[in-house]
Amino acid sequence: MKATRIQDLKRHTGEEVEIRGWLYNRRSSGGIHFLILRDGTGIVQCILDRSRFSEEEFESHGKLPVESSVIVRGQVKEEKRAPGGVEVALSSVKVLSEADLNYPIQKKAHNVDFLLDHRHLWIRSPAQAALLKIRATVIKAIEDFLDEEGYIRVDAPILTPAACEGTTTLFEVKYFDQQAFLSQSGQLYNEATAMALGKVYCFGPTFRAEKSKTRRHLTEFWMVEPEMAFATLDEIMDVCERFVSCIVQTTLKERSQELSLLKRDVTKLEAIHPPFASISYTEAVELLNKHGYSIQWGSDFGGDEETLLSRQFSKPVMIHHYPARCKAFYMKPDPADPKTTLSVDMLAPEGYGEIIGGGQREDDYDALKKRIQQEKLPPEAFEWYLDLRKYGSAPHGGFGLGVERTVAWIAGIEHVREAIPFPRTLYRLYP
Ligand code: 4AD
Ligand code: MG
């Protein structure tokens, strides 16, 4: 007999089915045990009636520890009060592996460190499983959008010889007798592939040795990075806006059940359609100072500033034209106002803060070489990158969107660590 997934049971009402899963919970009343099973696709209540089992089976199934793995068979019955609209009248129960007693994760509230130490089990809990499903949908929406718009996926290396996003957050690794670093961003390689293929993206894990312990920082996170040849800042911002709207709307459509399980207020997400707000860095400084900050023009925004800015808008806001001094070496200065750059960050609303960083790249050979020297980056490691400005340089740019921050915002959770299966943070490398 083929297994039926719990999410499909309703279509099999009246039929005899097989379910393969785990005991999520159980209770007993009168001559009946209620076994609540989960299989990853859903949860269903199964009725184990004394009259259909031997005395011995009835005894032992009634004591089955939670999280035991089982294969059961039974008839699907309509039950309007049940979560999926059905329950199953069991005819057989096969226990594959009886779980140890005292499953570490109980219904009571555990502290988050305990839960993170047991992340390998915590992901079985409905809310955590819902988050992983939302993440999968966000990733699929990202890929579908870019594939449909003609971007070619060309993944960038993870072992790299140099920094992309500043030297303070590099993870160093030994590479035989050389020094290498885990990639902070695939952008530089994307610029090469964009000059070969036009529109490209890379999508993979990126690494930052962030010494900060905030709700927005992981040391390993996933980033999608589209890059376009012949694109200018305006075009990049247009893509950012359509891209993020599409991700949100797809997730709303395909994960309504999971969002409702997480008690997400979806009306806020339903409004996420272009156009988004867009303000310059200078305007953002004025806005902050109006709210009691005293930000000097030229300094970068921290977490608190981002939170405040992002609460001023009901949709994401794009902040453009950051000062050169708070952005990476590759940013192209605006010819009309060279102390600013053709850069853009997108902040998600409701206080979530930055989800996108990007902009137009310096495409002039001499200007870029000078910036590499100013930043004291090793020139040998950037020769290939400078070559791109020697052989058919063209205006180009793109952006990076952080998957976990995007998932955290869409799902409405407090911290990015629950938006990735196994988070890596300043103090966490286990499990
Ligand atoms: O703003 P960032 O540093 O931009 C870049 O890396 C560019 N090279 C991307 C590009 O233009 N191709 O990072 C981009 C995004 C951030 O907006 C944020 O969403 C995410 O990556 N991000 C992090 N997410 C979790 N933990 C961290 N430590 C993150 N650092 C960046
Ligand atoms: Mg950034």
Side-chain angles (χ1 to χ4, degrees):
M1 199 180 211
K2 265 188 22 197
T4 305
R5 297 184 304 176
I6 290 174
Q7 69 178 15
D8 300 331
L9 283 176
K10 198 156 184 179
R11 281 196 268 127
H12 295 271
T13 306
E15 294 170 29
E16 185 81 6
V17 297
E18 178 169 300
I19 301 168
R20 302 173 186 168
W22 296 265
L23 184 65
Y24 174 63
N25 209 345
R26 113 182 111 60
R27 63 197 167 80
S28 302
S29 128
I32 296 177
H33 297 314
F34 297 92
L35 305 186
I36 294 107
L37 302 190
R38 61 166 189 89
D39 71 346
T41 74
I43 285 178
V44 69
Q45 171 162 285
C46 301
I47 317 293
L48 199 149
D49 196 316
R50 172 171 246 144
S51 64
R52 302 176 72 177
F53 290 82
S54 72
E55 199 52 43
E56 211 175 292
E57 282 175 322
F58 187 80
E59 260 308 275
S60 70
H61 297 337
K63 286 193 268 190
L64 197 61
V66 293
E67 291 303 321
S68 297
S69 51
V70 294
I71 296 180
V72 304
R73 288 182 180 186
Q75 197 186 34
V76 184
K77 302 213 153 135
E78 192 175 334
E79 171 51 70
K80 291 227 163 60
R81 288 163 301 175
V86 289
E87 58 184 23
V88 175
L90 293 176
S91 53
S92 80
V93 175
K94 190 166 133 198
V95 177
L96 296 194
S97 170
E98 199 173 301
D100 275 9
L101 287 171
N102 308 323
Y103 181 63
I105 299 183
Q106 301 294 323
K107 291 264 170 310
K108 68 168 192 187
H110 295 285
N111 74 47
V112 74
D113 272 322
F114 176 89
L115 290 169
L116 286 167
D117 283 341
H118 295 84
R119 183 67 176 162
H120 51 297
L121 302 175
W122 189 25
I123 50 178
R124 300 181 183 193
S125 306
Q128 296 304 313
L131 283 167
L132 296 185
K133 289 181 187 178
I134 291 169
R135 176 188 171 95
T137 299
V138 164
I139 289 172
K140 178 80 167 38
I142 285 170
E143 291 169 346
D144 287 348
F145 177 94
L146 294 171
D147 293 345
E148 273 161 34
E149 297 233 341
Y151 291 76
I152 307 292
R153 180 169 179 157
V154 194
D155 285 317
I158 285 173
L159 290 166
T160 61
C164 176
E165 295 297 323
T167 50
T168 55
T169 62
L170 282 171
F171 274 116
E172 218 179 294
V173 286
K174 248 183 82 187
Y175 191 75
F176 305 108
D177 55 357
Q178 292 185 56
Q179 179 191 46
F181 306 101
L182 297 180
S183 178
Q184 297 167 308
S185 157
Q187 180 199 317
L188 306 186
Y189 295 96
N190 255 352
E191 292 182 51
T193 56
M195 296 300 150
L197 300 163
K199 295 207 290 186
V200 298
Y201 70 103
C202 63
F203 195 174
T206 39
F207 304 86
R208 308 267 170 105
E210 303 271 10
K211 294 265 162 61
S212 42
K213 220 187 128 192
T214 79
R215 65 193 179 95
R216 298 187 177 121
H217 287 92
L218 295 165
T219 53
E220 177 179 304
F221 61 97
W222 281 63
M223 177 157 54
V224 58
E225 300 181 77
E227 187 78 20
M228 295 155 269
F230 298 102
T232 56
L233 181 62
D234 285 342
E235 291 165 277
I236 295 161
M237 287 169 63
D238 173 69
V239 178
C240 286
E241 193 175 67
R242 289 187 301 108
F243 185 50
V244 169
S245 310
C246 172
I247 296 167
V248 171
Q249 295 309 320
T250 305
T251 310
L252 271 176
K253 200 165 90 211
E254 290 178 12
R255 291 293 171 203
S256 58
Q257 242 180 313
E258 287 74 14
L259 291 167
S260 123
L261 188 143
L262 295 168
K263 302 195 167 60
R264 179 64 164 114
D265 176 1
V266 291
T267 57
K268 295 208 166 92
L269 298 175
E270 281 159 359
I272 309 299
H273 290 285
F276 295 175
S278 142
I279 60 172
S280 68
Y281 167 87
T282 305
E283 289 168 319
V285 170
E286 285 162 9
L287 193 62
L288 285 166
N289 290 345
K290 235 179 14 203
H291 281 85
Y293 282 84
S294 44
I295 311 279
Q296 294 289 326
W297 194 97
S299 60
D300 204 359
F301 303 142
D304 293 345
E305 288 88 357
E306 266 185 32
T307 304
L308 186 135
L309 284 169
S310 99
R311 289 216 170 107
Q312 308 309 306
F313 303 89
S314 58
K315 291 197 253 180
V317 55
M318 292 186 282
I319 303 180
H320 53 85
H321 283 89
Y322 281 82
R325 82 174 98 129
C326 55
K327 287 289 176 193
F329 74 97
Y330 53 70
M331 291 285 187
K332 188 174 177 61
D334 186 349
D337 178 13
K339 23 176 233 316
T340 69
T341 54
L342 299 170
S343 52
V344 61
D345 277 6
M346 185 190 284
L347 311 189
E350 301 175 63
Y352 279 91
E354 183 191 334
I355 53 170
I356 280 182
Q360 220 180 303
R361 324 303 184 191
E362 180 55 82
D363 49 13
D364 178 78
Y365 181 90
D366 294 319
L368 183 60
K369 192 163 182 180
K370 209 165 126 198
R371 287 292 290 134
I372 290 172
Q373 283 162 353
Q374 282 170 348
E375 298 285 321
K376 299 196 170 56
L377 294 165
E380 342 60 81
F382 288 94
E383 262 170 44
W384 68 269
Y385 187 63
L386 281 160
D387 267 356
L388 305 175
R389 279 73 180 166
K390 257 207 281 200
Y391 303 105
S393 192
H396 66 284
F399 60 91
L401 170 128
V403 167
E404 292 75 19
R405 290 192 191 174
T406 305
V407 170
W409 161 48
I410 295 176
I413 56 170
E414 180 65 23
H415 201 296
V416 289
R417 66 192 162 206
E418 289 174 45
I420 187 164
F422 293 95
R424 299 288 173 251
T425 55
L426 184 52
Y427 298 115
R428 182 165 294 281
L429 190 58
Y430 176 93

